Amino acid sequence: MARPGERDRASNGGAGAGPATRIFLSYTGADSDIANRLSEAMRERGAEVYNYGDRSGEEFVRRTQAALENADYFVALISPDAMESAWCDLERQAAYHRQIELKRQFVYVVQVRRTTRTGTGFLRVASWIDLLEPQTPDKIAKTLSALGFDGGAPAPGAGPTPWTVFHNREDELNRLINALTTSGTPDLWLVVSPPKLGKTWFLQEVLRRRAALDPPCQIQLVDLRSLPLEYRHDWVRVLCQLLDIPEPASATFEQGECVTAAAALVKRDRAQLYLLDSADLMNKAAAVRLRWALTTIHRLVKRRSSGKTRVSLIVASRHKDGWEGFGAQGGPRIVKVPLAEFTEDVVRLAVRELADDLSADDLDQWSDGLCRLSEGLPAVLAQSLRWAESTAFLAIDDCQVATQAVFDKVARPYIKDDLLATESLLPFAGDDPKRWAALEAALKFAVRYRLLTQSHLRYHIENNAVFQQQLEAAGWNQVDLWQAMGQTALQNREVQEPWHVLHRPIRRLLYRYYYPDAESRHRSHEQAREFYAKWAAKGAGSELGPILVESLWHETAKLLHTSPATVSEDLPRTAVQLVEEFRRPEILEPSEYCDYVTERLTADREFEMLLRNFDGLFPRVVSAIAETITGGA
């Protein structure tokens, strides 16, 4: 792994070949002497070193944030004073997340005064470089060598930086911050969303707003992505890392160890907030045990704590498995904070910040186009805005029609690297390429449908020999596949239905990924309609309502592809034909069937948005269906 002085040196030709390596040096005033000496030595070797100067006011916060985002490496000088410094703690936590974003080592630790590792949070699992007294020139030179400044010119850095800040999540953030500062409110929270919808950003924002917490709060953040791999299924080590307590001598952690841990938290005699990111990397059994221990410790602390001591927890995960339900001995429950996709209002604010000279009409078109291009997913939206900015906001036609070339540029990396990553598709089953291949193949047909039942799986297994072979190679049958699909991070587990439902923006994004042209999309809708016709013909009963609604969805999408000019006339007739096709008065009484279908359609925001450009068409379709089912009664 590259060190600060090594990165890209060979490709940049040594001294003078490009911009200098940018170092963010984090230290407290008590260590300013050695910090200044180390900074000078780094600069002599060609580095740019950020010095904080006056740590007060909003200008300092902005400069520090900008320096962190543009730094190539972060070097933390560790001492007892540095560990007590709130500013140093904020810098370390921000750097910690920067390292995760960059997917390489970004944080380096230099111990300048002897410091116990207990209480240093995520730093205690890192390698520490020794710069303890006596801090001689020779020892400083060895420290620089350990950092990678070994005599040659340090390498320039040009890593990716966070690009924009979206004005969003205020409702969720305010709800949480208010709860953390109000007595009698919940202490345990679960922030849940699919990949890259802003869970890590959300925790960072809570951390950044720590100044708003009254009374002042000690905050500890742990991200499982940054811990050694063996921690991920060892809930005891995760617990001890999170609460910053010593690991027990034995491998077990029962009631007695919970009492010891609770006593340690009570003795801290202050408000405490613990943040656990990437909790989905734990298997369900480990998450259940960790939840038991945390709720047990929380209950014990609450029983004995003073007015100053309050222990709160925020867990961020791609799914809720293992975290739902009551805690130890009947309570408390963990409160969910689901993060949804961004609305067009958020996109509009971002566009306005980048191009404040756009006309009102252009602003509307760009906001609408980018929202549909990105499906409101933050990671894709950021890339979409980068692309729009690179065109000086001139490619409005490409944005409106979302050409495949633009889609591939802004969305394909996110789909391949995040949505289809092993941790998304196989969060608990490990890195099994055959099972991953079977799941990915199942997703390709699953994204055609807005809901997925075992009947869907059976149909595609029976009619696709290649897919059958992939399932056999994975060692799965239909039930195994069904269970595996239900565990992916792409599922919307908030839907209380007897079927699987992918998160809608993710399903739409994957659909465009797997079906990139008009022909493949047209065929996918035809095949979906063939399936629903066969399902209904085999004696479907209570499923007739969903079958009618979903068949109408596919017919609508097909008409929009093939004959958009006549959709207003064609669609009501098509709806009536579908009612006749799926009418089963001997199974469902007409008024009951009508109520179910019309209520489901009226609440179907996604379906309504599909027809947003056809004024009044959606209610006309609903009325036509109701009148046909009931015979006008």
Side-chain angles (χ1 to χ4, degrees):
M1 184 172 291
R3 295 175 293 173
E6 292 178 336
R7 184 165 172 257
D8 296 332
R9 178 176 299 152
S11 62
N12 284 282
T21 298
R22 296 164 297 225
I23 305 293
F24 188 107
L25 192 64
S26 176
Y27 60 96
T28 187
D31 302 316
S32 58
D33 178 61
I34 184 59
N36 290 336
R37 293 165 63 194
L38 199 59
S39 296
E40 184 179 353
M42 289 176 173
R43 290 190 180 102
E44 287 175 354
R45 288 161 174 78
E48 292 181 5
V49 184
Y50 175 75
N51 281 331
Y52 61 80
D54 178 24
R55 281 182 166 172
S56 61
E58 292 185 6
E59 182 59 30
F60 162 70
V61 176
R62 285 194 292 269
R63 286 190 290 108
T64 300
Q65 183 177 3
L68 262 169
E69 291 177 352
N70 288 289
D72 297 307
Y73 298 97
F74 178 93
V75 177
L77 302 191
I78 296 302
S79 69
D81 287 287
M83 297 314 303
E84 288 295 320
S85 167
W87 279 117
C88 287
D89 184 47
L90 279 172
E91 291 170 355
R92 290 190 295 268
Q93 297 287 4
Y96 176 48
H97 280 285
R98 179 88 169 110
Q99 176 166 287
I100 293 167
E101 290 173 355
L102 294 174
K103 298 180 180 180
R104 64 168 174 81
Q105 187 170 357
F106 175 67
V107 176
Y108 291 80
V109 183
V110 177
Q111 184 177 203
V112 295
R113 282 187 284 143
R114 195 164 299 281
T115 309
T116 177
R117 290 197 178 221
T118 301
T120 60
F122 76 94
L123 295 180
R124 75 181 188 180
V125 298
S127 298
W128 289 22
I129 299 170
D130 179 1
L131 188 52
L132 297 171
E133 294 181 343
Q135 292 155 340
T136 62
D138 181 59
K139 201 164 189 178
I140 290 175
K142 289 181 179 178
T143 297
L144 292 176
S145 178
L147 288 170
F149 294 93
D150 51 2
T161 60
W163 171 79
T164 188
V165 175
F166 297 111
H167 303 280
N168 62 91
R169 311 293 192 212
E170 287 301 317
D171 289 343
E172 296 96 329
L173 282 164
N174 289 336
R175 176 189 177 197
L176 233 168
I177 296 296
N178 289 338
L180 295 173
T181 56
T182 305
S183 61
T185 51
D187 293 321
L188 310 180
W189 301 82
L190 175 66
V191 178
V192 61
S193 78
K196 296 289 184 74
L197 250 72
K199 296 181 296 294
T200 294
W201 176 89
F202 192 89
L203 294 190
Q204 284 183 285
E205 194 66 10
V206 171
L207 189 68
R208 191 181 70 81
R209 298 187 185 195
R210 66 190 302 169
L213 300 178
D214 186 21
C217 188
Q218 172 187 332
I219 300 183
Q220 166 84 344
L221 186 150
V222 167
D223 191 319
L224 284 182
R225 289 172 293 183
S226 71
L227 296 181
L229 291 177
E230 60 267 23
Y231 275 61
R232 294 185 177 183
H233 303 308
D234 189 339
W235 67 270
V236 174
R237 297 176 79 178
V238 172
L239 175 72
C240 295
Q241 179 75 14
L242 179 64
L243 301 184
D244 205 2
I245 56 177
E247 294 179 11
S250 64
T252 61
F253 200 99
E254 303 298 339
Q255 187 70 23
E257 285 77 20
C258 287
V259 171
T260 301
L265 302 191
V266 169
K267 289 176 183 176
R268 290 172 187 171
D269 196 29
R270 63 184 304 181
Q272 300 156 57
L273 173 60
Y274 298 97
L275 310 176
L276 179 62
D277 202 358
S278 305
D280 44 271
L281 294 178
M282 304 179 69
N283 61 36
K284 185 175 181 179
V288 168
R289 291 294 293 164
L290 180 57
R291 184 190 64 173
W292 168 82
L294 287 167
T295 53
T296 299
I297 293 167
H298 177 270
R299 178 172 51 81
L300 291 169
V301 171
K302 204 165 186 180
R303 181 188 301 170
R304 290 298 309 274
S305 65
S306 66
K308 289 194 299 181
T309 304
R310 178 179 179 180
V311 172
S312 304
L313 169 74
I314 305 175
V315 175
S317 175
R318 294 182 178 187
H319 45 73
K320 60 189 180 182
D321 293 349
W323 296 101
E324 283 197 309
F326 288 105
Q329 299 186 9
R333 293 183 71 96
I334 296 180
V335 180
K336 281 188 298 185
V337 183
L339 300 184
E341 63 271 21
F342 287 170
T343 64
E344 189 175 332
D345 289 340
V346 174
V347 181
R348 183 184 302 275
L349 283 173
V351 173
R352 184 178 291 160
E353 281 194 359
L354 290 170
D356 57 5
D357 59 340
L358 287 176
S359 68
D361 182 59
D362 283 353
L363 180 61
D364 287 343
Q365 291 192 58
W366 273 107
S367 301
D368 174 69
L370 290 173
C371 200
R372 286 188 286 116
L373 176 63
S374 67
E375 297 293 354
L377 299 171
V380 186
L381 179 56
Q383 292 297 332
S384 301
L385 285 163
R386 283 191 182 98
W387 164 76
E389 190 181 34
S390 73
T391 72
F393 286 89
L394 295 173
I396 195 165
D397 292 337
D398 285 343
C399 179
Q400 280 290 302
V401 299
T403 63
Q404 192 63 31
V406 174
F407 178 81
D408 287 344
K409 182 186 293 290
V410 303
R412 186 170 290 271
Y414 168 68
I415 292 170
K416 295 184 68 174
D417 297 339
D418 293 293
L419 295 185
L420 301 181
T422 298
E423 55 265 30
S424 290
L425 299 190
L426 293 168
F428 305 127
D431 188 7
D432 186 326
K434 293 180 179 178
R435 290 185 173 181
W436 180 90
L439 266 176
E440 208 255 351
L443 268 182
K444 185 172 182 178
F445 70 73
V447 298
R448 301 174 183 175
Y449 306 101
R450 300 196 305 162
L451 57 87
L452 192 71
T453 68
Q454 292 212 48
S455 295
H456 292 80
L457 296 190
R458 188 181 307 112
Y459 174 78
H460 285 278
I461 292 171
E462 291 174 352
N463 290 278
N464 190 323
V466 174
F467 186 44
Q468 287 181 27
Q469 294 170 2
Q470 288 177 305
L471 276 186
E472 291 171 2
W476 277 345
N477 58 28
Q478 177 185 312
V479 175
D480 296 327
L481 176 62
W482 174 256
Q483 293 174 343
M485 294 188 76
Q487 289 182 332
T488 70
L490 312 182
Q491 292 293 326
N492 184 352
R493 291 178 174 84
E494 303 303 313
V495 176
Q496 302 300 315
E497 300 277 14
W499 44 66
H500 292 330
V501 176
L502 292 174
H503 278 273
R504 287 183 171 179
I506 287 177
R507 190 202 75 238
R508 293 192 294 263
L509 205 69
L510 287 172
Y511 180 78
R512 291 155 68 183
Y513 173 78
Y514 286 122
Y515 304 96
D517 53 69
E519 182 179 351
S520 62
R521 291 173 188 174
H522 180 79
R523 181 59 185 151
S524 76
H525 289 300
E526 285 190 332
Q527 290 173 337
R529 276 287 289 117
E530 290 170 7
F531 160 71
Y532 282 120
K534 291 181 179 180
W535 187 11
K538 288 183 177 180
S542 59
E543 304 97 338
L544 284 172
I547 287 175
L548 173 57
V549 172
E550 296 309 305
S551 295
L552 181 61
W553 164 270
H554 289 290
E555 289 292 350
T556 303
K558 195 165 63 172
L559 286 172
L560 290 171
H561 282 304
T562 58
S563 52
T566 59
V567 166
S568 294
E569 294 75 33
D570 295 342
L571 188 56
R573 289 197 298 268
T574 300
V576 171
Q577 292 168 2
L578 288 173
V579 171
E580 297 293 348
E581 181 180 350
F582 300 128
R583 188 196 297 272
R584 302 286 190 279
E586 72 280 6
I587 297 175
L588 288 176
E589 198 276 330
S591 63
E592 179 185 9
Y593 189 30
C594 177
D595 288 345
Y596 178 87
V597 171
T598 55
E599 287 177 10
R600 190 175 184 90
L601 273 173
T602 303
D604 196 331
R605 174 66 173 162
E606 186 180 32
F607 205 153
E608 188 176 11
M609 288 299 292
L610 194 66
L611 297 174
R612 63 187 178 277
N613 294 328
F614 300 87
D615 190 34
L617 178 56
F618 186 72
R620 279 203 293 125
V621 170
V622 176
S623 296
I625 288 174
E627 290 175 6
T628 306
I629 292 176
T630 62

